């Protein structure tokens, strides 16, 4: 994930596309404040402080912590095995399905091969 997206119903923020690159300040901590609709939720590895700011230890910490914002998702998730991969099916409250196919098993085998081991 290297892009960011601002849509009417969600936002995906990747730090390297939002913060630029502060030359000479890569090791400095950052304080990030997000303004978004009251009914949206935030999904990120960052933790807000008492004032609602997300603090990072460095620029690298910020760009390694994507932020997803949007209304709560009311739906179901199922993962089904298909061949050597897994298909994720998301069913939303309107009954419309979306499928995202992933080749998790194949990627695990390739990754394990890089380190001289076998995928388990």
């Amino acid at each position: 994930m290297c892009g960011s997206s601002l849509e009417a119903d969600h936002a995906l923020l990747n730090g390297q596309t939002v913060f630029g690159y502060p030359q000479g300040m890569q090791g400095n901590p950052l304080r990030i404040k997000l303004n978004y609709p009251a009914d949206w939720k935030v999904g990120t590895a960052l933790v807000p402080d008492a004032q609602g700011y997300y603090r990072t230890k460095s620029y690298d910490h910020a760009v390694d912590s994507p932020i997803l914002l949007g209304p709560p998702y009311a739906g179901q998730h199922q993962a089904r095995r298909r061949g050597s991969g897994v298909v994720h099916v998301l069913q939303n409250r309107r009954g419309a399905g979306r499928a995202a196919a992933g080749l998790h098993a194949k990627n695990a085998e390739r990754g394990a091969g890089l380190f001289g081991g076998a995928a388990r």
Side-chain angles (χ1 to χ4, degrees):
M1 284 190 333
C2 66
S4 290
S5 175
L6 293 174
E7 307 295 336
D9 64 342
H10 75 279
L12 171 62
L13 307 176
N14 280 294
Q16 67 272 26
T17 65
V18 176
F19 306 126
Y21 181 74
Q23 189 172 2
M25 299 174 59
Q26 190 171 3
N28 293 6
L30 295 174
R31 225 170 63 146
I32 303 164
K33 180 69 171 176
L34 302 171
N35 295 313
Y36 52 91
D39 62 333
W40 283 19
K41 300 293 181 195
V42 178
T44 183
L46 302 175
V47 179
D49 64 17
Q51 292 80 37
Y53 286 89
Y54 293 86
R55 295 179 182 270
T56 67
K57 298 173 187 174
S58 66
Y59 172 83
D60 290 336
H61 184 200
V63 300
D64 287 341
S65 304
I67 302 168
L68 181 62
L69 302 101
Y73 179 78
Q76 298 177 351
H77 172 262
Q78 296 177 351
R80 301 182 194 139
R81 188 163 189 83
R82 182 185 294 169
S84 64
V86 175
V87 175
H88 294 276
V89 179
L90 303 175
Q91 187 76 29
N92 67 21
R93 64 181 146 235
R94 294 183 193 93
R98 292 190 317 233
L103 299 175
H104 301 302
K106 195 174 284 187
N107 288 336
E109 291 168 11
R110 289 178 183 154
L114 292 174
F115 300 100
R120 299 190 197 278

